[in-house]
Amino acid sequence: MPFHVTINSELTDVSHIDPDTPLLWAVRDQFKLKGSKFGCGAGLCGACTMHVDGVAQKTCVLPLAAVAEKAVTTIEGLDPQGVGAALQEAWVAESVSQCGYCQSGQIMAAAALLEANPNPSEAELETAMAGNICRCGCYPRIKNAIQTAAASLAQDALFTDAMAQEVSA
Protein backbone atom coordinates (compact mmCIF):
# COMPACT_ATOMS: atom_id res chain seq x y z
CA MET A 1 0.00 0.00 0.00
CA PRO A 2 1.52 3.37 -0.97
CA PHE A 3 2.32 5.92 1.67
CA HIS A 4 4.04 9.27 1.71
CA VAL A 5 6.13 11.40 3.99
CA THR A 6 6.85 15.07 3.43
CA ILE A 7 10.60 15.48 3.86
CA ASN A 8 11.85 19.06 4.00
CA SER A 9 8.64 20.31 2.37
CA GLU A 10 8.79 17.76 -0.46
CA LEU A 11 6.07 15.08 -0.64
CA THR A 12 7.92 11.79 -1.01
CA ASP A 13 6.62 8.32 -1.80
CA VAL A 14 8.25 5.93 0.67
CA SER A 15 6.26 2.81 -0.27
CA HIS A 16 9.42 1.09 -1.53
CA ILE A 17 11.05 1.28 1.94
CA ASP A 18 10.31 -1.27 4.67
CA PRO A 19 7.90 0.54 7.02
CA ASP A 20 9.85 -0.77 10.03
CA THR A 21 13.01 1.01 8.87
CA PRO A 22 13.98 3.72 11.35
CA LEU A 23 13.35 7.17 9.92
CA LEU A 24 17.02 8.08 10.43
CA TRP A 25 18.17 5.33 8.08
CA ALA A 26 15.51 6.07 5.47
CA VAL A 27 16.56 9.72 5.41
CA ARG A 28 20.31 9.00 5.37
CA ASP A 29 20.37 5.96 3.06
CA GLN A 30 17.46 6.51 0.69
CA PHE A 31 17.42 10.31 0.47
CA LYS A 32 21.14 10.93 1.08
CA LEU A 33 20.55 13.58 3.73
CA LYS A 34 23.53 12.97 6.02
CA GLY A 35 23.22 15.85 8.51
CA SER A 36 21.37 13.84 11.15
CA LYS A 37 23.74 11.44 12.86
CA PHE A 38 23.57 7.95 14.33
CA GLY A 39 24.72 7.99 17.92
CA CYS A 40 23.27 5.37 20.22
CA GLY A 41 20.56 3.54 18.27
CA ALA A 42 18.33 3.61 21.34
CA GLY A 43 16.82 7.11 21.20
CA LEU A 44 18.91 8.29 24.14
CA CYS A 45 21.58 10.65 22.79
CA GLY A 46 19.67 12.94 20.41
CA ALA A 47 22.21 13.00 17.55
CA CYS A 48 19.43 11.78 15.23
CA THR A 49 16.89 14.47 16.20
CA MET A 50 14.55 15.67 13.44
CA HIS A 51 11.21 17.44 13.56
CA VAL A 52 8.04 15.45 12.91
CA ASP A 53 5.13 17.84 12.45
CA GLY A 54 7.24 20.45 14.25
CA VAL A 55 8.09 18.31 17.28
CA ALA A 56 11.66 17.20 18.00
CA GLN A 57 11.86 13.39 17.72
CA LYS A 58 14.66 10.86 18.11
CA THR A 59 14.59 9.13 14.73
CA CYS A 60 16.95 6.20 15.23
CA VAL A 61 14.10 4.27 16.88
CA LEU A 62 11.14 5.85 15.07
CA PRO A 63 9.81 3.53 12.34
CA LEU A 64 9.06 5.08 8.99
CA ALA A 65 5.46 3.85 9.29
CA ALA A 66 4.99 6.12 12.32
CA VAL A 67 5.58 9.21 10.20
CA ALA A 68 3.35 8.27 7.25
CA GLU A 69 1.53 11.35 5.93
CA LYS A 70 3.49 13.61 8.32
CA ALA A 71 5.99 16.40 7.75
CA VAL A 72 9.62 15.62 8.58
CA THR A 73 12.26 18.34 8.77
CA THR A 74 15.93 17.44 8.87
CA ILE A 75 18.81 19.78 9.66
CA GLU A 76 19.14 20.33 5.90
CA GLY A 77 15.54 21.57 5.77
CA LEU A 78 15.74 23.88 8.77
CA ASP A 79 14.50 27.34 7.81
CA PRO A 80 17.51 29.41 6.67
CA GLN A 81 15.70 32.47 8.01
CA GLY A 82 14.20 33.04 11.43
CA VAL A 83 14.92 30.44 14.10
CA GLY A 84 17.30 28.41 11.93
CA ALA A 85 19.44 31.41 11.03
CA ALA A 86 19.40 32.77 14.58
CA LEU A 87 20.58 29.44 15.98
CA GLN A 88 23.31 29.00 13.38
CA GLU A 89 24.61 32.53 14.01
CA ALA A 90 24.50 32.01 17.78
CA TRP A 91 26.27 28.65 17.47
CA VAL A 92 29.15 30.38 15.69
CA ALA A 93 29.17 33.42 17.98
CA GLU A 94 29.29 31.23 21.10
CA SER A 95 31.86 28.81 19.59
CA VAL A 96 29.62 25.91 20.52
CA SER A 97 31.06 23.11 18.41
CA GLN A 98 33.99 21.11 19.56
CA CYS A 99 33.83 17.75 17.76
CA GLY A 100 30.50 18.73 16.20
CA TYR A 101 28.98 15.24 16.05
CA CYS A 102 25.91 16.04 18.15
CA GLN A 103 25.36 19.52 16.80
CA SER A 104 22.66 18.84 14.21
CA GLY A 105 20.58 17.10 16.87
CA GLN A 106 21.25 19.89 19.36
CA ILE A 107 20.23 22.56 16.84
CA MET A 108 17.07 20.66 15.85
CA ALA A 109 16.03 20.28 19.50
CA ALA A 110 16.75 23.97 20.12
CA ALA A 111 14.82 24.99 17.00
CA ALA A 112 11.75 23.02 18.10
CA LEU A 113 12.00 24.67 21.52
CA LEU A 114 12.27 28.22 20.16
CA GLU A 115 9.53 27.69 17.59
CA ALA A 116 7.18 26.51 20.34
CA ASN A 117 8.43 28.93 23.00
CA PRO A 118 10.45 31.91 21.74
CA ASN A 119 11.36 33.02 25.26
CA PRO A 120 12.02 29.88 27.32
CA SER A 121 13.00 30.06 30.96
CA GLU A 122 16.24 28.43 32.01
CA ALA A 123 14.30 25.43 33.36
CA GLU A 124 12.30 25.08 30.11
CA LEU A 125 15.52 25.25 28.11
CA GLU A 126 17.18 22.59 30.22
CA THR A 127 14.13 20.33 30.04
CA ALA A 128 13.89 20.65 26.25
CA MET A 129 17.59 19.94 25.75
CA ALA A 130 17.91 17.16 28.35
CA GLY A 131 17.57 14.40 25.75
CA ASN A 132 20.56 15.60 23.72
CA ILE A 133 23.99 14.45 24.84
CA CYS A 134 27.21 16.27 24.03
CA ARG A 135 30.17 14.04 24.75
CA CYS A 136 32.49 17.06 24.64
CA GLY A 137 30.55 18.74 27.46
CA CYS A 138 29.67 21.90 25.55
CA TYR A 139 26.44 22.35 27.52
CA PRO A 140 27.20 25.87 28.82
CA ARG A 141 27.98 27.09 25.29
CA ILE A 142 24.88 25.35 23.89
CA LYS A 143 22.72 27.00 26.54
CA ASN A 144 24.32 30.40 25.87
CA ALA A 145 23.77 29.99 22.13
CA ILE A 146 20.08 29.17 22.59
CA GLN A 147 19.63 32.18 24.86
CA THR A 148 21.52 34.36 22.35
CA ALA A 149 19.29 33.11 19.51
CA ALA A 150 16.16 33.77 21.58
CA ALA A 151 17.34 37.32 22.32
CA SER A 152 18.16 37.89 18.64
CA LEU A 153 14.73 36.65 17.58
CA ALA A 154 13.06 38.89 20.19
CA GLN A 155 15.05 41.87 18.89
CA ASP A 156 14.04 41.03 15.31
CA ALA A 157 10.39 40.79 16.39
CA LEU A 158 10.58 44.20 18.08
CA PHE A 159 12.10 45.71 14.95
CA THR A 160 9.46 44.11 12.73
CA ASP A 161 6.67 45.34 15.01
CA ALA A 162 8.13 48.87 15.03
CA MET A 163 8.39 48.88 11.24
CA ALA A 164 4.79 47.66 10.89
CA GLN A 165 3.56 50.40 13.22
CA GLU A 166 5.51 53.02 11.29
CA VAL A 167 4.05 51.85 7.98
CA SER A 168 0.49 51.82 9.32
CA ALA A 169 0.83 55.29 10.89
Side-chain angles (χ1 to χ4, degrees), residues 61-142:
V61 294
L62 185 64
L64 190 58
V67 298
E69 310 308 323
K70 296 186 179 186
V72 174
T73 305
T74 69
I75 189 77
E76 294 90 348
L78 191 60
D79 182 9
Q81 307 293 319
V83 172
L87 283 167
Q88 290 173 11
E89 289 170 14
W91 241 248
V92 171
E94 298 293 333
S95 300
V96 172
S97 295
Q98 189 164 327
C99 84
Y101 198 81
C102 70
Q103 296 309 298
S104 63
Q106 298 280 359
I107 289 171
M108 293 304 287
L113 168 65
L114 293 180
E115 287 168 3
N117 181 359
N119 188 24
S121 68
E122 192 168 322
E124 291 167 328
L125 190 154
E126 290 175 5
T127 298
M129 299 304 293
N132 290 74
I133 296 171
C134 174
R135 292 185 176 144
C136 300
C138 296
Y139 299 112
R141 294 189 305 228
I142 291 167

Side-chain angles (χ1 to χ4, degrees), residues 9-92:
S9 301
E10 186 174 319
L11 186 64
T12 307
D13 181 1
V14 292
S15 304
H16 63 285
I17 305 171
D18 182 339
D20 291 330
T21 301
L23 177 59
L24 174 66
W25 295 118
V27 166
R28 287 182 58 83
D29 295 344
Q30 298 293 317
F31 303 107
K32 308 302 182 203
L33 299 170
K34 306 288 186 174
S36 302
K37 305 297 184 205
F38 175 79
C40 66
L44 302 172
C45 75
C48 63
T49 301
M50 295 178 202
H51 296 175
V52 177
D53 286 344
V55 177
Q57 298 283 317
K58 309 302 189 303
T59 62
C60 66
V61 294
L62 185 64
L64 190 58
V67 298
E69 310 308 323
K70 296 186 179 186
V72 174
T73 305
T74 69
I75 189 77
E76 294 90 348
L78 191 60
D79 182 9
Q81 307 293 319
V83 172
L87 283 167
Q88 290 173 11
E89 289 170 14
W91 241 248
V92 171

